[in-house]
Amino acid sequence: MDLVAGWMQALFAGLLNMALAAAVGVAVLQAAVSSTASSVRLAGMARRACVLLGIGLAAYLCAGTVAMTETRITGLPAALWLVLTQSHFGAMIWVALTAWIMLMVATVSSAWQIRDGLFGVGLIGFALARAATGHAADQGFVSFSVLI
């Protein structure tokens, strides 16, 4: 239990933060790049960053659930549903999942205006949900700490 609470939760939170930073970096570079070859390369990088976001989100949910409920691996499915439906952490995971789906759709979309807008909204939603799953949300979901 100490391994999950002490190391794994922080490790997967760090993975989420790094993947989110990579996705934001790609979005910023995408706006500045005009060549087609660079744009295609950045689209591939965005896709990989979004895949890492999905993997990190799933791992962070599992580690957070084990840390909060002190369950064993055999009881993880029931504990996951309990956390997803009965906690603020779970509600923010749903928001992050919705934002992640938007990001993934944006990485495979071919319409430039729709893709860029969807990717931007997905990034903002994921970043907000990520901030609200941590202790920044202790003052509430809509607080100055979460916005920072």
Side-chain angles (χ1 to χ4, degrees), residues 30 32-44 112 115:
Q30 188 76 28
V33 170
S34 61
S35 74
T36 305
S38 296
S39 181
V40 169
R41 190 175 309 144
L42 285 173
W112 288 98
R115 183 182 78 183

Side-chain angles (χ1 to χ4, degrees), residues 28-112:
V28 169
L29 287 174
Q30 188 76 28
V33 170
S34 61
S35 74
T36 305
S38 296
S39 181
V40 169
R41 190 175 309 144
L42 285 173
M45 291 172 69
R47 205 170 298 115
R48 285 189 293 275
C50 291
V51 167
L52 278 177
L53 275 174
I55 293 168
L57 183 64
Y60 184 61
L61 169 62
C62 290
T65 298
V66 169
M68 282 188 278
T69 62
E70 297 180 359
T71 189
R72 299 209 183 281
I73 296 298
T74 56
L76 188 60
L80 280 171
W81 186 248
L82 181 69
V83 166
L84 283 171
T85 59
Q86 303 295 320
S87 70
H88 176 77
F89 179 81
M92 291 303 101
I93 294 294
W94 285 114
V95 171
L97 178 64
T98 303
W100 177 75
I101 290 170
M102 291 170 69
L103 289 168
M104 291 304 294
V105 168
T107 61
V108 297
S109 176
S110 60
W112 288 98

Side-chain angles (χ1 to χ4, degrees), residues 111-138:
W112 288 98
Q113 290 83 10
I114 293 172
R115 183 182 78 183
D116 290 344
L118 192 60
F119 198 78
V121 170
L123 280 177
I124 291 168
F126 199 95
L128 186 63
R130 172 63 193 102
T133 58
H135 288 288
D138 288 346

